[in-house]
Amino acid sequence: QVQLVESGGGLVQPGGSLRLSCLVSGDTLRNYVIAWFRQAPGKEHDGVSCISSTDGSTYHITASVGDRFTISRDNALNTDYLQLTSLESEDTAIYYCAVRPGRCYLSSSSYDAWGQGTQVTVSS
């Protein structure tokens, strides 16, 4: 059974940067697409970005992140990364990584396995 563990969250000032990591165990990452979602207090999961398992194509699920966030993967390390830059207070949320076979999908319900989340707080 595949398991995911996120890390790298924390408190950062507006305009700052963080790099989130998602370590996958129990299977090889190359078998999955991997996506990041976030959940702000009182809100539902909001898709952020997704990266394919084949050609490395990336997709921004949430338009508001624009080019501020970059998703990447290292299949040799079974690890995915989400680089967050130019952070805004509206980016404050718990960030989750999730995997599924096949293709990137927008809906969180399409993903089979999830990590426990890592908190990102943007505040001065």
Side-chain angles (χ1 to χ4, degrees):
Q1 181 177 356
V2 63
Q3 295 182 325
L4 296 81
V5 177
E6 301 95 336
S7 61
L11 173 63
V12 62
Q13 293 185 343
S17 300
L18 285 172
R19 189 177 79 158
L20 308 183
S21 299
C22 176
L23 176 63
V24 177
S25 61
D27 200 349
T28 181
L29 179 58
R30 69 178 69 252
N31 291 335
Y32 301 94
V33 302
I34 188 163
W36 288 87
F37 293 82
R38 64 185 181 183
Q39 187 171 26
K43 296 186 178 182
E44 296 184 354
H45 280 105
D46 183 23
V48 177
S49 296
C50 184
I51 186 166
S52 77
S53 59
T54 53
D55 60 3
S57 297
T58 62
Y59 306 89
H60 290 310
I61 303 173
T62 299
S64 63
V65 305
D67 293 330
R68 298 187 297 118
F69 294 0
T70 303
I71 189 172
S72 61
R73 61 193 291 158
D74 187 331
N75 288 337
L77 297 179
N78 252 26
T79 302
D80 188 83
Y81 304 98
L82 186 67
Q83 180 72 45
L84 315 178
T85 62
S86 302
L87 283 162
E88 305 168 352
S89 58
E90 292 78 12
D91 297 317
T92 294
I94 300 174
Y95 284 70
Y96 300 87
C97 58
V99 296
R100 69 180 307 279
R103 301 170 58 185
C104 286
Y105 277 85
L106 301 178
S107 172
S108 61
S109 63
S110 299
Y111 290 79
D112 301 321
W114 292 74
Q116 83 290 348
T118 185
Q119 176 71 49
V120 172
T121 303
V122 184
S123 176
S124 56

